[in-house]
Amino acid sequence: MASDSDEFGAFLVGFIVGGMAGAVVSLLFAPQSGEETRALIREKSIELRDRASESAEEALANAEAAAAEARVRAEELTKIARARAEEVAREARTRADELAREVRARGESAVESIRRPSGKKSGGETSSQS
């Protein structure tokens, strides 16, 4: 039981000493008069407004720079895409022309083979009947 009362006593002494130290600190650091406090608040709000304005201007400048950079990059990519599309179209036209020539040649070859008389008819047959 002596130990419980010793712990309680130590707690009580710490509580009282802490309370007194807090009172002394609060007296030493008492706030200024109302007028001084309002002036300090006004100064700090002006300072904060100026900082916010500077930050907003910096953010706007950064955004404009990023937009300009994005615009330039988009133009570059558009040029690259347009060049590639023209190249693909040119290749497609070339291939289409090649295929058209090949089909024409095969068609002409087929027509010629149909028009040529075939030498496989038997000798006794004639095509005309009297």
Side-chain angles (χ1 to χ4, degrees), residues 69-88:
E69 185 178 330
R71 197 173 306 116
V72 168
R73 183 68 178 139
E75 289 172 1
E76 290 173 358
L77 291 174
T78 299
K79 287 178 185 177
I80 291 169
R82 186 174 291 129
R84 181 66 180 132
E86 289 173 358
E87 181 182 339
V88 167

Side-chain angles (χ1 to χ4, degrees), residues 8-22:
F8 179 76
F11 171 77
L12 189 58
V13 169
F15 183 79
I16 292 172
V17 169
M20 287 174 49

Side-chain angles (χ1 to χ4, degrees), residues 9-111:
F11 171 77
L12 189 58
V13 169
F15 183 79
I16 292 172
V17 169
M20 287 174 49
V24 169
V25 169
S26 67
L27 288 175
L28 290 175
F29 292 99
Q32 306 93 343
S33 68
E35 188 173 322
E36 290 174 344
T37 302
R38 285 189 295 274
L40 182 64
I41 290 172
R42 189 176 320 111
E43 288 173 12
K44 293 296 181 184
S45 66
I46 290 170
E47 197 176 300
L48 182 62
R49 183 189 63 203
D50 290 344
R51 275 195 231 151
S53 177
E54 289 172 7
S55 295
E57 289 172 3
E58 287 176 13
L60 179 60
N62 290 341
E64 288 174 346
E69 185 178 330
R71 197 173 306 116
V72 168
R73 183 68 178 139
E75 289 172 1
E76 290 173 358
L77 291 174
T78 299
K79 287 178 185 177
I80 291 169
R82 186 174 291 129
R84 181 66 180 132
E86 289 173 358
E87 181 182 339
V88 167
R90 194 171 31 256
E91 290 174 3
R93 277 192 296 272
T94 302
R95 182 68 179 134
D97 290 344
E98 290 172 359
L99 289 173
R101 281 192 294 273
E102 185 179 332
V103 167
R104 189 175 300 119
R106 286 184 181 184
E108 289 173 356
S109 174
V111 168

